[in-house]
Amino acid sequence: MFILLMYGALLAVPLWAIAVVVKLISVVAPGRRPDWARDLLLWSVGAAAAAAVIVYVIGLGLVQWDASEAESGAGSSPAVPCRSLPPGTLDRLAGHEPSYVPLGFDCLLDGGRTVAASGPYGRLNALTAAFGLTAVLALIAVGFLDEYRARAQRKPGRTGEGLKASPTE
């Protein structure tokens, strides 16, 4: 199931990239609205969250692909990600264990020890975390921006409140 979702996510990557480029062009183009900064931050929250989901779904598909490939067919043992282990460690290989949270693929050695298999899982976990953290920080920035604007409008002199006519007028 995750493999099918991975294909959908792979198809979504170019669409996401095109959307980001179009949004950047619209920000640079003249004639934008006066509240474009807040809208850009909100849009960035959505784009970063979408990127985190896309990267994680691709990782889920890769983990399931490796697990499925290791459990069926001729030449499936040892699992492909475990084949890059050093020869001494490869001889003690007893099995494998996929991990979906966080993304990973562990090679089980006799004696109960596990060794992380080679693959892009560390980079995918880092990218997912980076995009997720970016989305959260941008959302916090939107909150700060809204609070700053609300306080600036409440200050006397900005909205006409607190202004008194001088006695000479």
Side-chain angles (χ1 to χ4, degrees):
M1 179 176 87
F2 291 137
I3 295 172
L4 292 175
L5 289 174
M6 176 185 71
Y7 287 133
L10 287 171
L11 291 174
V13 169
L15 297 175
W16 180 88
I18 290 169
V20 168
V21 168
V22 167
K23 186 63 173 184
L24 290 176
I25 290 171
S26 74
V27 167
V28 175
R32 58 185 176 259
R33 296 187 345 232
D35 62 343
W36 68 273
R38 183 179 188 282
D39 288 343
L40 180 63
L41 274 175
L42 281 175
W43 191 89
S44 298
V45 168
V53 169
I54 288 170
V55 170
Y56 192 73
V57 168
I58 289 172
L60 286 174
L62 288 175
V63 170
Q64 189 176 27
W65 181 284
D66 286 339
S68 175
E69 193 173 272
E71 294 168 359
S72 62
S76 61
S77 182
V80 174
C82 296
R83 291 180 187 172
S84 63
L85 294 175
T89 308
L90 191 58
D91 295 338
R92 298 188 348 240
L93 190 63
H96 64 275
E97 185 175 312
S99 172
Y100 295 101
V101 178
L103 298 172
F105 199 88
D106 294 331
C107 303
L108 302 174
L109 304 178
D110 53 1
R113 206 172 124 226
T114 61
V115 177
S118 66
Y121 307 116
R123 291 185 299 263
L124 291 173
N125 284 328
L127 271 175
T128 301
F131 281 127
L133 182 62
T134 301
V136 169
L137 291 177
L139 190 61
I140 291 170
V142 169
F144 279 128
L145 182 64
D146 289 345
E147 181 66 23
Y148 175 76
R149 286 184 178 171
R151 286 182 186 215
Q153 286 181 349
R154 281 184 271 169
K155 283 186 179 176
R158 294 261 181 180
T159 60
E161 296 174 9
L163 292 180
K164 296 180 181 173
S166 64
T168 58
E169 292 181 17

